[in-house]
């Protein structure tokens, strides 16, 4: 199910395949032995992370674990984030965390999209590893990415009571710029929402990172991009959260977001 890295080209030369029992995965070369040990012991990456002494967990669609990195990833960050794939929408009632074992797996799709998006300049955390666990005609899967320290999602900054000292209008402007970057680089992210844009204050400047790229479609440079699709998706997300939390976004905030949309990279 996971393609051999040799078939993917030089851009994936830093990753290696490892297997164990009914599991198969890939990892950044420095973590290949770690991956082999986890899979060889019959554990999932998500279960491994949950058992670490330093684990910090948060819930959303499932539980996400942040752990101390046992080895180096592509960006050499100190912590990793381990996420178990779960379905959303109506189909989640029937399949929950199962995916049909056909074509590229979710981890492989996320790796492909992440590597190409990063090559095009899109700020997104590096993928460290991924694994699939076969279950008949279905599979379950985990993904590991590097952790961005002190980052907060746009959703939590605006509506979650975050105490991060990040200027709201600056955050909205940079979020708009990131969406414009996705458009300009032809990286179609069908789930651009306020929870999938992470913000950090980096030496006094607000920086943004896009996450959850497993459903991304990285188009050729010549391919047309649906006008306003990702902009509208983010704005709908913000309106829903505003209504849910009974917190109005200011006119200045909307203006900052939309001015970001119009900012050439």
């Amino acid at each position: 199910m996971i393609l051999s890295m040799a078939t993917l080209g030089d851009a994936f030369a830093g990753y290696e395949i490892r297997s164990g029992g009914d599991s198969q995965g890939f990892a950044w070369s420095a973590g290949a032995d770690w991956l082999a040990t986890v899979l060889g012991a019959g554990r999932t990456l998500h279960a491994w992370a949950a058992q670490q002494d330093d684990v910090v967990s948060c819930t959303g669609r499932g539980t996400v674990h942040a752990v101390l990195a046992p080895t180096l990833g592509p960006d050499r960050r100190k912590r990793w984030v381990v996420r178990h794939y779960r379905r959303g929408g109506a189909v989640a009632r029937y399949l929950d965390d199962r995916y049909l074992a056909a074509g590229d797996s979710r981890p492989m799709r996320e790796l492909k999209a992440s590597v190409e998006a990063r090559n095009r300049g899109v700020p997104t955390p590096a993928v460290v590893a991924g694994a699939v666990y076969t279950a008949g005609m279905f599979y379950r899967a985990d993904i590991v990415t590097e952790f961005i320290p002190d980052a907060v999602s746009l959703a939590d900054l605006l509506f979650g009571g975050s105490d991060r000292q990040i200027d709201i209008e600056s955050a909205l402007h940079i979020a708009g710029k990131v969406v414009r970057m996705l458009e300009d680089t032809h990286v179609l992210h069908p789930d651009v929402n306020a929870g999938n844009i992470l913000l950090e204050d980096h030496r006094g400047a607000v920086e943004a990172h896009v996450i959850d790229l497993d459903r991304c479609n990285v188009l050729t440079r010549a391919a047309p991009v649906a006008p306003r699709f990702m902009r509208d998706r983010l704005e709908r997300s913000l309106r829903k959260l505003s209504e849910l939390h009974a917190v109005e976004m200011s006119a200045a905030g909307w203006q900052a977001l939309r001015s970001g949309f119009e900012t050439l990279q």
Side-chain angles (χ1 to χ4, degrees), residues 111-124 181-182 185 187 213 216 218:
L111 175 66
K112 286 182 175 181
S114 175
V115 168
E116 185 56 34
R118 283 163 60 89
N119 286 342
R120 297 184 186 191
V122 174
T124 184
M181 179 179 288
L182 291 170
T185 56
V187 178
L213 272 63
C216 275
V218 182

Side-chain angles (χ1 to χ4, degrees), residues 175 178-179 182 187-197 210-212 215-216 229-237 261:
V178 165
V179 171
L182 291 170
V187 178
L188 181 62
H189 195 317
D191 197 22
V192 174
N193 60 55
N196 283 343
I197 296 178
V210 184
I211 61 173
D212 292 359
R215 294 177 60 221
C216 275
F229 169 77
M230 289 182 284
R231 303 183 190 195
D232 291 344
R233 180 71 181 84
L234 178 56
E235 289 197 9
R236 285 197 302 272
S237 166
F261 290 154

Side-chain angles (χ1 to χ4, degrees), residues 159 237-249 254:
F159 308 107
S237 166
L238 290 169
R239 290 193 183 95
K240 286 180 64 175
L241 289 169
S242 178
E243 181 177 348
L244 177 65
H245 295 279
V247 176
E248 286 287 334
M249 273 182 54
W254 285 113

